[in-house]
Amino acid sequence: MDRGIVQGSLPPVIIDAHHHIFGGMAELGYPDYEPGDYLRDAAPLGSNLRATVFAECNTHYDAAQPPGLEATGETRFAARLGARFDEEPVRCASAIIGFADPFADLPFEKIVDAQVVAGDGRLRAIRRSTAWDEDAQFNYPILKTLPHMMRDERFCHALHVLAQRDLVFDAWLYHPQFGELVDLAKRVPDCTIVLDHAGMVLSKGRYADSNRSWSDWRDGIARLAERPNLNVKIGVLASIHGLDEIRQKTCGEHWTGPALAEHLAPWLDHLVCSFGPERCLFESNFPIDKAHCDFATIVEAFSLAFGGLGPSERNAIFAGNAARIYKIDLQDEGV
């Protein structure tokens, strides 16, 4: 159930730079999430939401393809989805983040070129998760991640390939891995990199010391922001371990926008101060983040937290940067 949004608290144009649509994710325990489900969740945004970016999520793979090319089925699915919504008020899957594996047996160039074809003009980025930790509770077998993947020469080569094709690399990792991403960004300075999920801070298990996790994340974000080819998606912060307990004590079953904004303010302030408004992008990460907060409250909280920014800076975070980085044409929207 959505709490609603304070009138006038939203920027006029919103692009959701990261969400998923999938036909069953039994491995992770998620039910189907179809376009209609997403639009119902986002309905409180009204006409402010104009376009979205589909992010790969291991769905609709084509088992008939050779090993390494199965994910072209997902990209074709997303491209059909985008074409279906081209003339709708919300242009779902206006841009696509696809999957390609630098460690596959096929040349990475061949995989990426096949993904470009499958995207039918909508592929803008490639994501290959590197999220791994010594604590196995953080590792998803479906992702097939290993330690120090970003230090492998094949990964460096992959980013060179993306840069040559004017494609973005979306990075999904955990905050203890920030140093590896800093080094990778240095080695391939001509590749545009977008850090997903505000860097995915770990805050339980051996990272349960909240002060230490905050300090490590804060310092790592500052180092990442020194690389001019790095950008960051602002989202997932409502899932920080311990916030659900704070919500229950302060708000009950559901967050309010002002309360969530208050608790996320130090994180959001640090991201914007480090990267600047021109390198921050709003993401919903729905439906994954739905477990922690409804769509309307997340957007309201972020909007309230960014209330000290000027209109152009807020518009950049909520729409302009995504339009620029993922090449979404909103020329009539003034972003």
Side-chain angles (χ1 to χ4, degrees), residues 85-167:
F85 281 89
D86 257 349
E87 303 302 322
E88 297 296 323
V90 180
R91 291 163 48 196
C92 285
S94 187
I96 298 170
I97 303 166
F99 175 87
D101 191 356
F103 304 101
D105 290 335
L106 290 176
F108 191 72
E109 292 87 343
K110 181 174 182 177
I111 299 173
V112 172
D113 291 343
Q115 283 285 41
V116 170
V117 172
D120 195 24
R122 296 178 191 274
L123 186 77
R124 300 291 184 264
I126 290 293
R127 182 170 79 157
R128 202 306 181 200
S129 174
T130 61
W132 181 91
D133 192 75
E134 293 177 10
D135 187 339
Q137 71 171 305
F138 299 117
N139 300 331
Y140 299 100
I142 193 173
L143 298 179
K144 299 178 180 177
T145 53
L146 297 168
H148 310 308
M149 294 169 68
M150 288 178 283
R151 294 178 182 171
D152 193 295
E153 283 299 326
R154 289 169 292 182
F155 220 97
C156 184
H157 171 73
L159 265 66
H160 282 296
V161 171
L162 296 179
Q164 291 164 3
R165 287 156 176 76
D166 197 24
L167 293 172

Side-chain angles (χ1 to χ4, degrees), residues 263-286:
H263 286 288
L264 294 185
W267 305 83
L268 297 174
D269 289 348
H270 185 63
L271 287 165
V272 174
C273 288
S274 298
F275 281 91
E278 70 279 5
R279 288 194 284 156
C280 296
L281 299 77
F282 163 73
E283 63 165 349
S284 76
N285 195 42
F286 260 50

